[in-house]
Amino acid sequence: MSALSATCPAKINLGLSVLGRRADGYHEIVTLFQAIALFDTLRAENAPSLSLTCDDPALPVDERNLVIRAARALQEERPETRTRGARLRLTKRIPAGGGLGGGSSDAAAALVLLERLWEVSLAPAERQRIAGALGSDVPFFLHGGTALGTGRGEIVHPQPPIPERALVLGFPAFGLNTPEIYAALDAPLTLQDGAVTLSRFYGKLAEGNDFSRITNDLETPAFARRPKLAFFRDALLRAGAEAALLCGSGSSVFGLFSGRDEAEQAAAGAAGWFGDWTVVTAVTVARGVRVEAAG
Ligand code: C5P
């Protein structure tokens, strides 16, 4: 295999419920993941050693980057690949720190790409386990489309695709710290057993393609820190969004619209009111990471 390229979608959460804090410090959640058409690209070709370059100079390209960590995890699992290298090139379009899973999607892509490049193959359960160890959102991107996430989000239950929806995404200039947002929930929470009921609830919403009742428990601590996030969400609701919500643990906010034209109009309005935010439109997609030969 000479050169390969992967497209790595972003995600939103069509609802996120936190059940409680676990003994390992993570939080038990139920969420409905949805892949969207906003893509990073990761290219890989054989090389004597492992290296990563990225068009965003703000991102580290060493062992702090999940792409490198994914490569190392694969080498750990398949010792015969430890002598292999790869030149990896990452093109970022998904804003970092927005709760859109960009880094997680890139990591899932690195796993699948390097399996192909180094001619090893992991069993699906093995791939899923390695992905989950890299980060709670990484396993979702191996499936993509629409999927329920349980546990800390790493247990993925694929759902039938929902009909395409248009959305507006707003990125503020500030980020939010995921561990801090989760930790702020600690005081009122104990681990409760509501996962089955909540999974059914989200499953039904997806089936009925009606998201008007979705909520995200992480909004309370996020909005307390950054009230502007709530103003942006409310602006999207006033512009006719069926639902508007914080993406994961933030800091971006999305609104769901009935069609692309409605979304474009709402985006133009929001961009006018929130001058220092980046506002874009996107659509949902029924896919995850996809690898093909690079031209
Ligand atoms: O799994 P990941 O590395 O993406 O998680 C980052 C941090 O977010 C964790 O260290 C933890 O503080 C918090 N987290 C959590 N519960 C989850 C997912 C993430 O508390 N379900």
Side-chain angles (χ1 to χ4, degrees):
M1 205 56 72
S2 54
L4 293 168
S5 176
T7 45
C8 324
K11 61 88 180 159
I12 54 172
N13 302 78
L14 292 171
L16 192 156
S17 302
V18 181
L19 294 169
R21 189 176 183 276
R22 314 191 323 186
D24 63 5
Y26 280 91
H27 291 75
E28 196 77 7
I29 66 168
V30 180
T31 187
L32 187 66
F33 288 114
Q34 174 61 53
I36 63 169
L38 177 63
F39 302 101
D40 287 345
T41 310
L42 184 64
R43 284 173 62 101
E45 56 193 358
N46 275 309
S49 61
L50 188 65
S51 67
L52 173 66
T53 54
C54 179
D55 66 341
D56 180 351
L59 293 183
V61 288
D62 56 16
E63 310 282 333
R64 284 169 295 174
N65 194 300
L66 271 180
V67 166
I68 295 292
R69 302 230 304 263
R72 296 291 182 217
L74 180 58
Q75 289 179 324
E76 195 63 34
E77 193 74 17
R78 287 283 184 276
E80 67 270 30
T81 64
R82 288 181 192 169
T83 54
R84 303 292 296 266
R87 188 175 301 113
L88 296 159
R89 275 189 288 159
L90 180 60
T91 308
K92 290 298 292 182
R93 291 292 171 269
I94 308 171
L100 295 168
S104 301
S105 190
D106 302 342
L111 265 186
V112 189
L113 265 181
L114 292 175
E115 275 184 72
R116 289 262 294 266
L117 196 73
W118 292 343
E119 293 160 306
V120 287
S121 83
L122 299 170
E126 208 178 5
R127 191 180 301 122
Q128 208 71 15
R129 174 176 52 75
I130 297 172
L134 288 166
S136 305
D137 290 345
V138 180
F140 163 69
F141 290 102
L142 298 171
H143 297 279
T146 308
L148 272 169
T150 58
R152 53 186 170 84
E154 93 286 14
I155 306 169
V156 178
H157 316 261
Q159 304 291 306
I162 61 167
E164 183 190 283
R165 308 296 290 259
L167 53 134
V168 173
L169 282 166
F171 311 106
F174 54 83
L176 285 172
N177 181 283
T178 301
E180 187 190 316
I181 295 298
Y182 270 104
L185 282 169
D186 283 354
L189 283 169
T190 52
L191 194 58
Q192 352 153 341
D193 186 24
V196 174
T197 314
L198 278 165
S199 298
R200 277 205 203 106
F201 170 71
Y202 284 122
K204 282 228 161 63
L205 293 185
E207 223 174 90
N209 194 33
D210 171 7
F211 300 102
S212 54
R213 289 161 62 210
I214 56 176
T215 53
N216 179 350
D217 289 344
L218 300 176
E219 282 188 341
T220 308
F223 290 179
R225 278 161 186 71
R226 294 288 191 172
K228 262 212 155 173
L229 295 169
F231 300 157
F232 191 87
R233 180 203 57 186
D234 293 344
L236 291 181
L237 289 171
R238 276 198 306 275
E242 168 192 348
L245 223 56
L246 185 74
C247 292
S249 60
S251 59
S252 56
V253 174
F254 73 90
L256 280 188
F257 288 83
S258 50
R260 294 183 189 213
D261 291 347
E262 288 77 6
E264 290 294 343
Q265 255 177 26
W273 309 316
F274 292 81
D276 53 342
W277 286 51
T278 304
V279 183
V280 301
T281 57
V283 290
T284 56
V285 283
R287 49 157 291 195
V289 160
R290 189 178 290 162
V291 175
E292 50 196 40

Short mmCIF file of all heavy atoms in Angstrom, two decimals, residues 186-236:
data_model
loop_
_atom_site.label_atom_id
_atom_site.label_comp_id
_atom_site.label_asym_id
_atom_site.label_seq_id
_atom_site.Cartn_x
_atom_site.Cartn_y
_atom_site.Cartn_z
N ASP A 186 -20.20 17.14 39.87
CA ASP A 186 -20.03 16.13 40.91
C ASP A 186 -20.94 16.29 42.11
O ASP A 186 -21.54 15.34 42.56
CB ASP A 186 -18.58 16.07 41.37
CG ASP A 186 -17.74 15.32 40.36
OD1 ASP A 186 -18.32 14.78 39.40
OD2 ASP A 186 -16.53 15.27 40.53
N ALA A 187 -21.04 17.50 42.62
CA ALA A 187 -21.73 17.69 43.89
C ALA A 187 -23.13 17.08 43.93
O ALA A 187 -23.41 16.26 44.79
CB ALA A 187 -21.75 19.17 44.22
N PRO A 188 -23.99 17.40 42.95
CA PRO A 188 -25.36 16.89 43.08
C PRO A 188 -25.54 15.45 42.61
O PRO A 188 -26.65 14.94 42.67
CB PRO A 188 -26.16 17.84 42.20
CG PRO A 188 -25.18 18.31 41.18
CD PRO A 188 -23.83 18.27 41.81
N LEU A 189 -24.47 14.79 42.14
CA LEU A 189 -24.68 13.51 41.47
C LEU A 189 -24.19 12.29 42.23
O LEU A 189 -23.13 12.29 42.82
CB LEU A 189 -23.94 13.52 40.13
CG LEU A 189 -24.62 14.31 39.01
CD1 LEU A 189 -23.67 14.45 37.85
CD2 LEU A 189 -25.89 13.62 38.57
N THR A 190 -24.99 11.25 42.18
CA THR A 190 -24.52 9.92 42.55
C THR A 190 -24.89 9.02 41.39
O THR A 190 -25.80 9.33 40.63
CB THR A 190 -25.22 9.40 43.83
OG1 THR A 190 -26.62 9.52 43.63
CG2 THR A 190 -24.78 10.17 45.06
N LEU A 191 -24.18 7.91 41.23
CA LEU A 191 -24.43 7.03 40.09
C LEU A 191 -25.80 6.37 40.24
O LEU A 191 -26.09 5.73 41.23
CB LEU A 191 -23.33 5.97 40.03
CG LEU A 191 -23.24 5.18 38.74
CD1 LEU A 191 -23.02 6.09 37.56
CD2 LEU A 191 -22.09 4.18 38.84
N GLN A 192 -26.68 6.59 39.26
CA GLN A 192 -28.00 5.97 39.33
C GLN A 192 -28.16 5.06 38.12
O GLN A 192 -27.44 5.17 37.15
CB GLN A 192 -29.12 7.02 39.30
CG GLN A 192 -28.64 8.42 39.41
CD GLN A 192 -29.57 9.44 38.75
OE1 GLN A 192 -30.39 9.12 37.93
NE2 GLN A 192 -29.38 10.69 39.14
N ASP A 193 -29.14 4.19 38.23
CA ASP A 193 -29.32 3.19 37.20
C ASP A 193 -30.44 3.59 36.25
O ASP A 193 -31.53 3.06 36.32
CB ASP A 193 -29.59 1.83 37.86
CG ASP A 193 -29.63 0.72 36.83
OD1 ASP A 193 -29.03 0.91 35.76
OD2 ASP A 193 -30.27 -0.30 37.10
N GLY A 194 -30.16 4.55 35.37
CA GLY A 194 -31.21 4.99 34.45
C GLY A 194 -30.83 4.77 33.01
O GLY A 194 -31.52 5.23 32.10
N ALA A 195 -29.73 4.02 32.81
CA ALA A 195 -29.18 3.91 31.45
C ALA A 195 -30.16 3.28 30.46
O ALA A 195 -30.27 3.73 29.32
CB ALA A 195 -27.87 3.13 31.48
N VAL A 196 -30.88 2.26 30.92
CA VAL A 196 -31.78 1.55 30.00
C VAL A 196 -32.93 2.46 29.56
O VAL A 196 -33.23 2.59 28.38
CB VAL A 196 -32.30 0.25 30.67
CG1 VAL A 196 -33.34 -0.43 29.78
CG2 VAL A 196 -31.15 -0.69 30.95
N THR A 197 -33.54 3.14 30.56
CA THR A 197 -34.65 4.05 30.26
C THR A 197 -34.19 5.16 29.32
O THR A 197 -34.87 5.50 28.34
CB THR A 197 -35.15 4.69 31.58
OG1 THR A 197 -35.28 3.65 32.54
CG2 THR A 197 -36.45 5.40 31.40
N LEU A 198 -33.03 5.74 29.62
CA LEU A 198 -32.53 6.84 28.79
C LEU A 198 -32.16 6.37 27.39
O LEU A 198 -32.42 7.06 26.41
CB LEU A 198 -31.31 7.49 29.45
CG LEU A 198 -31.65 8.50 30.54
CD1 LEU A 198 -30.43 8.82 31.38
CD2 LEU A 198 -32.22 9.78 29.92
N SER A 199 -31.57 5.18 27.29
CA SER A 199 -31.21 4.65 25.97
C SER A 199 -32.47 4.49 25.13
O SER A 199 -32.49 4.82 23.94
CB SER A 199 -30.51 3.30 26.08
OG SER A 199 -29.31 3.46 26.78
N ARG A 200 -33.54 3.99 25.76
CA ARG A 200 -34.82 3.84 25.04
C ARG A 200 -35.34 5.19 24.60
O ARG A 200 -35.82 5.35 23.49
CB ARG A 200 -35.86 3.16 25.95
CG ARG A 200 -35.71 1.68 25.94
CD ARG A 200 -37.04 1.00 26.29
NE ARG A 200 -36.72 -0.33 26.79
CZ ARG A 200 -36.79 -0.69 28.07
NH1 ARG A 200 -37.23 0.15 28.98
NH2 ARG A 200 -36.43 -1.89 28.43
N PHE A 201 -35.24 6.17 25.50
CA PHE A 201 -35.74 7.52 25.20
C PHE A 201 -35.03 8.09 23.97
O PHE A 201 -35.67 8.52 23.01
CB PHE A 201 -35.51 8.42 26.43
CG PHE A 201 -35.76 9.88 26.20
CD1 PHE A 201 -37.07 10.36 26.02
CD2 PHE A 201 -34.71 10.78 26.16
CE1 PHE A 201 -37.30 11.71 25.81
CE2 PHE A 201 -34.94 12.14 25.95
CZ PHE A 201 -36.23 12.61 25.77
N TYR A 202 -33.69 8.02 23.97
CA TYR A 202 -32.94 8.56 22.83
C TYR A 202 -33.18 7.75 21.56
O TYR A 202 -33.27 8.30 20.47
CB TYR A 202 -31.44 8.61 23.16
CG TYR A 202 -31.06 9.75 24.07
CD1 TYR A 202 -30.44 9.52 25.29
CD2 TYR A 202 -31.32 11.07 23.71
CE1 TYR A 202 -30.09 10.56 26.14
CE2 TYR A 202 -30.98 12.12 24.55
CZ TYR A 202 -30.36 11.87 25.76
OH TYR A 202 -30.03 12.90 26.58
N GLY A 203 -33.29 6.43 21.73
CA GLY A 203 -33.57 5.56 20.57
C GLY A 203 -34.88 5.96 19.91
O GLY A 203 -34.98 6.04 18.69
N LYS A 204 -35.90 6.25 20.74
CA LYS A 204 -37.23 6.64 20.22
C LYS A 204 -37.16 7.98 19.50
O LYS A 204 -37.78 8.17 18.45
CB LYS A 204 -38.23 6.75 21.38
CG LYS A 204 -38.72 5.42 21.87
CD LYS A 204 -40.25 5.44 22.00
CE LYS A 204 -40.82 4.05 22.05
NZ LYS A 204 -40.34 3.29 23.24
N LEU A 205 -36.41 8.93 20.06
CA LEU A 205 -36.28 10.24 19.42
C LEU A 205 -35.67 10.08 18.04
O LEU A 205 -36.12 10.68 17.07
CB LEU A 205 -35.38 11.17 20.25
CG LEU A 205 -35.89 11.64 21.61
CD1 LEU A 205 -34.93 12.65 22.20
CD2 LEU A 205 -37.28 12.27 21.48
N ALA A 206 -34.62 9.23 17.95
CA ALA A 206 -33.94 9.03 16.67
C ALA A 206 -34.88 8.37 15.67
O ALA A 206 -34.95 8.78 14.51
CB ALA A 206 -32.69 8.16 16.87
N GLU A 207 -35.64 7.38 16.16
CA GLU A 207 -36.58 6.67 15.31
C GLU A 207 -37.63 7.63 14.75
O GLU A 207 -37.96 7.59 13.57
CB GLU A 207 -37.30 5.64 16.17
CG GLU A 207 -37.49 4.28 15.58
CD GLU A 207 -38.08 3.38 16.65
OE1 GLU A 207 -39.31 3.31 16.74
OE2 GLU A 207 -37.29 2.78 17.42
N GLY A 208 -38.14 8.51 15.61
CA GLY A 208 -39.19 9.43 15.21
C GLY A 208 -38.63 10.68 14.53
O GLY A 208 -39.39 11.53 14.08
N ASN A 209 -37.30 10.80 14.48
CA ASN A 209 -36.66 11.97 13.88
C ASN A 209 -37.21 13.27 14.47
O ASN A 209 -37.44 14.24 13.76
CB ASN A 209 -36.83 11.93 12.35
CG ASN A 209 -35.90 12.91 11.66
OD1 ASN A 209 -34.79 13.15 12.13
ND2 ASN A 209 -36.35 13.50 10.57
N ASP A 210 -37.43 13.26 15.77
CA ASP A 210 -37.95 14.44 16.46
C ASP A 210 -37.00 14.75 17.61
O ASP A 210 -36.89 13.98 18.56
CB ASP A 210 -39.36 14.11 17.00
CG ASP A 210 -39.87 15.21 17.92
OD1 ASP A 210 -39.21 16.27 18.05
OD2 ASP A 210 -40.94 15.00 18.54
N PHE A 211 -36.31 15.86 17.48
CA PHE A 211 -35.29 16.18 18.48
C PHE A 211 -35.65 17.41 19.31
O PHE A 211 -34.79 18.04 19.90
CB PHE A 211 -33.92 16.34 17.79
CG PHE A 211 -33.51 15.08 17.10
CD1 PHE A 211 -33.63 14.95 15.73
CD2 PHE A 211 -33.09 13.98 17.83
CE1 PHE A 211 -33.31 13.77 15.09
CE2 PHE A 211 -32.77 12.79 17.21
CZ PHE A 211 -32.88 12.69 15.83
N SER A 212 -36.95 17.75 19.30
CA SER A 212 -37.36 18.98 19.97
C SER A 212 -37.20 18.88 21.50
O SER A 212 -37.19 19.91 22.17
CB SER A 212 -38.82 19.31 19.62
OG SER A 212 -39.63 18.20 19.90
N ARG A 213 -37.05 17.65 22.03
CA ARG A 213 -36.98 17.52 23.49
C ARG A 213 -35.59 17.16 24.01
O ARG A 213 -35.44 16.78 25.17
CB ARG A 213 -37.99 16.48 23.96
CG ARG A 213 -39.43 16.98 23.81
CD ARG A 213 -40.42 15.83 23.82
NE ARG A 213 -40.40 15.08 25.07
CZ ARG A 213 -40.70 13.78 25.17
NH1 ARG A 213 -41.03 13.10 24.09
NH2 ARG A 213 -40.67 13.17 26.33
N ILE A 214 -34.56 17.29 23.17
CA ILE A 214 -33.23 16.89 23.64
C ILE A 214 -32.65 17.93 24.60
O ILE A 214 -32.92 19.13 24.49
CB ILE A 214 -32.23 16.63 22.49
CG1 ILE A 214 -32.11 17.84 21.55
CG2 ILE A 214 -32.61 15.36 21.73
CD1 ILE A 214 -31.05 17.66 20.46
N THR A 215 -31.86 17.42 25.55
CA THR A 215 -31.18 18.30 26.52
C THR A 215 -29.74 17.81 26.67
O THR A 215 -29.42 16.67 26.30
CB THR A 215 -31.86 18.23 27.90
OG1 THR A 215 -31.95 16.85 28.30
CG2 THR A 215 -33.27 18.83 27.87
N ASN A 216 -28.89 18.65 27.21
CA ASN A 216 -27.49 18.28 27.49
C ASN A 216 -27.19 18.70 28.93
O ASN A 216 -27.16 19.90 29.23
CB ASN A 216 -26.57 18.99 26.49
CG ASN A 216 -25.10 18.66 26.73
OD1 ASN A 216 -24.75 18.05 27.76
ND2 ASN A 216 -24.25 19.06 25.80
N ASP A 217 -26.96 17.73 29.80
CA ASP A 217 -26.72 18.03 31.22
C ASP A 217 -25.46 18.87 31.43
O ASP A 217 -25.29 19.47 32.50
CB ASP A 217 -26.57 16.73 32.02
CG ASP A 217 -27.90 16.00 32.18
OD1 ASP A 217 -28.95 16.63 31.94
OD2 ASP A 217 -27.88 14.80 32.55
N LEU A 218 -24.57 18.89 30.45
CA LEU A 218 -23.32 19.66 30.61
C LEU A 218 -23.54 21.16 30.37
O LEU A 218 -22.63 21.96 30.60
CB LEU A 218 -22.23 19.12 29.68
CG LEU A 218 -21.87 17.64 29.93
CD1 LEU A 218 -20.85 17.15 28.91
CD2 LEU A 218 -21.31 17.46 31.35
N GLU A 219 -24.74 21.52 29.93
CA GLU A 219 -25.00 22.94 29.69
C GLU A 219 -24.97 23.74 31.00
O GLU A 219 -24.51 24.88 31.01
CB GLU A 219 -26.35 23.14 29.00
CG GLU A 219 -26.30 22.83 27.52
CD GLU A 219 -27.58 23.19 26.78
OE1 GLU A 219 -28.63 23.36 27.43
OE2 GLU A 219 -27.51 23.31 25.54
N THR A 220 -25.47 23.15 32.08
CA THR A 220 -25.54 23.91 33.34
C THR A 220 -24.16 24.43 33.76
O THR A 220 -23.99 25.64 33.91
CB THR A 220 -26.22 23.07 34.44
OG1 THR A 220 -27.45 22.60 33.91
CG2 THR A 220 -26.46 23.88 35.70
N PRO A 221 -23.16 23.53 33.92
CA PRO A 221 -21.83 24.07 34.29
C PRO A 221 -21.20 24.93 33.19
O PRO A 221 -20.50 25.91 33.49
CB PRO A 221 -20.99 22.82 34.57
CG PRO A 221 -21.71 21.69 33.91
CD PRO A 221 -23.16 22.06 33.91
N ALA A 222 -21.46 24.60 31.92
CA ALA A 222 -20.84 25.37 30.82
C ALA A 222 -21.42 26.78 30.76
O ALA A 222 -20.68 27.77 30.65
CB ALA A 222 -21.04 24.64 29.49
N PHE A 223 -22.75 26.89 30.87
CA PHE A 223 -23.40 28.20 30.78
C PHE A 223 -23.08 29.05 32.01
O PHE A 223 -23.03 30.28 31.92
CB PHE A 223 -24.92 28.04 30.63
CG PHE A 223 -25.36 27.49 29.30
CD1 PHE A 223 -26.69 27.27 29.03
CD2 PHE A 223 -24.43 27.18 28.31
CE1 PHE A 223 -27.11 26.76 27.80
CE2 PHE A 223 -24.84 26.67 27.07
CZ PHE A 223 -26.18 26.46 26.83
N ALA A 224 -22.86 28.39 33.17
CA ALA A 224 -22.50 29.14 34.38
C ALA A 224 -21.15 29.82 34.17
O ALA A 224 -20.94 30.95 34.63
CB ALA A 224 -22.45 28.20 35.58
N ARG A 225 -20.25 29.15 33.45
CA ARG A 225 -18.92 29.74 33.20
C ARG A 225 -18.95 30.75 32.07
O ARG A 225 -18.23 31.74 32.10
CB ARG A 225 -17.92 28.61 32.86
CG ARG A 225 -17.40 27.95 34.09
CD ARG A 225 -16.80 26.58 33.81
NE ARG A 225 -16.44 25.96 35.07
CZ ARG A 225 -17.32 25.50 35.97
NH1 ARG A 225 -18.61 25.56 35.72
NH2 ARG A 225 -16.91 24.98 37.11
N ARG A 226 -19.75 30.47 31.06
CA ARG A 226 -19.79 31.31 29.86
C ARG A 226 -21.23 31.60 29.45
O ARG A 226 -21.79 30.93 28.56
CB ARG A 226 -19.06 30.58 28.71
CG ARG A 226 -17.58 30.38 28.95
CD ARG A 226 -16.82 31.69 28.82
NE ARG A 226 -15.39 31.48 28.80
CZ ARG A 226 -14.51 32.45 28.53
NH1 ARG A 226 -14.94 33.68 28.28
NH2 ARG A 226 -13.23 32.19 28.52
N PRO A 227 -21.86 32.62 30.05
CA PRO A 227 -23.26 32.91 29.75
C PRO A 227 -23.52 33.17 28.26
O PRO A 227 -24.63 32.94 27.78
CB PRO A 227 -23.54 34.17 30.58
CG PRO A 227 -22.51 34.15 31.66
CD PRO A 227 -21.30 33.48 31.10
N LYS A 228 -22.49 33.60 27.53
CA LYS A 228 -22.68 33.87 26.10
C LYS A 228 -23.15 32.65 25.33
O LYS A 228 -23.83 32.76 24.30
CB LYS A 228 -21.36 34.37 25.48
CG LYS A 228 -21.29 35.87 25.37
CD LYS A 228 -20.46 36.28 24.16
CE LYS A 228 -20.89 37.65 23.71
NZ LYS A 228 -20.04 38.19 22.66
N LEU A 229 -22.77 31.46 25.83
CA LEU A 229 -23.18 30.22 25.16
C LEU A 229 -24.70 30.10 25.17
O LEU A 229 -25.31 29.67 24.19
CB LEU A 229 -22.55 29.01 25.86
CG LEU A 229 -21.03 28.90 25.79
CD1 LEU A 229 -20.52 27.83 26.74
CD2 LEU A 229 -20.58 28.60 24.36
N ALA A 230 -25.31 30.46 26.30
CA ALA A 230 -26.77 30.39 26.41
C ALA A 230 -27.42 31.43 25.52
O ALA A 230 -28.46 31.17 24.90
CB ALA A 230 -27.19 30.59 27.86
N PHE A 231 -26.78 32.62 25.40
CA PHE A 231 -27.34 33.66 24.52
C PHE A 231 -27.35 33.16 23.07
O PHE A 231 -28.29 33.39 22.33
CB PHE A 231 -26.54 34.96 24.58
CG PHE A 231 -26.48 35.59 25.96
CD1 PHE A 231 -25.44 36.46 26.29
CD2 PHE A 231 -27.45 35.32 26.91
CE1 PHE A 231 -25.37 37.03 27.55
CE2 PHE A 231 -27.39 35.89 28.17
CZ PHE A 231 -26.34 36.74 28.50
N PHE A 232 -26.25 32.50 22.69
CA PHE A 232 -26.16 32.00 21.30
C PHE A 232 -27.22 30.92 21.06
O PHE A 232 -27.91 30.93 20.04
CB PHE A 232 -24.75 31.45 21.02
CG PHE A 232 -24.53 31.17 19.55
CD1 PHE A 232 -24.07 32.16 18.70
CD2 PHE A 232 -24.79 29.91 19.02
CE1 PHE A 232 -23.88 31.91 17.34
CE2 PHE A 232 -24.60 29.66 17.67
CZ PHE A 232 -24.14 30.65 16.83
N ARG A 233 -27.34 30.00 22.03
CA ARG A 233 -28.37 28.95 21.89
C ARG A 233 -29.76 29.58 21.74
O ARG A 233 -30.54 29.19 20.87
CB ARG A 233 -28.34 28.02 23.11
CG ARG A 233 -29.38 26.92 23.02
CD ARG A 233 -29.76 26.35 24.35
NE ARG A 233 -30.24 27.38 25.27
CZ ARG A 233 -30.54 27.17 26.54
NH1 ARG A 233 -30.37 25.97 27.05
NH2 ARG A 233 -30.98 28.14 27.31
N ASP A 234 -30.06 30.57 22.59
CA ASP A 234 -31.38 31.20 22.54
C ASP A 234 -31.61 31.92 21.22
O ASP A 234 -32.73 31.93 20.69
CB ASP A 234 -31.56 32.16 23.73
CG ASP A 234 -31.60 31.40 25.06
OD1 ASP A 234 -31.79 30.17 25.03
OD2 ASP A 234 -31.40 32.04 26.11
N ALA A 235 -30.54 32.50 20.68
CA ALA A 235 -30.66 33.19 19.38
C ALA A 235 -31.02 32.19 18.29
O ALA A 235 -31.84 32.47 17.41
CB ALA A 235 -29.35 33.91 19.04
N LEU A 236 -30.43 30.99 18.35
CA LEU A 236 -30.76 29.96 17.34
C LEU A 236 -32.21 29.51 17.50
O LEU A 236 -32.91 29.29 16.51
CB LEU A 236 -29.81 28.76 17.46
CG LEU A 236 -28.35 29.00 17.07
CD1 LEU A 236 -27.54 27.72 17.22
CD2 LEU A 236 -28.24 29.51 15.62
#
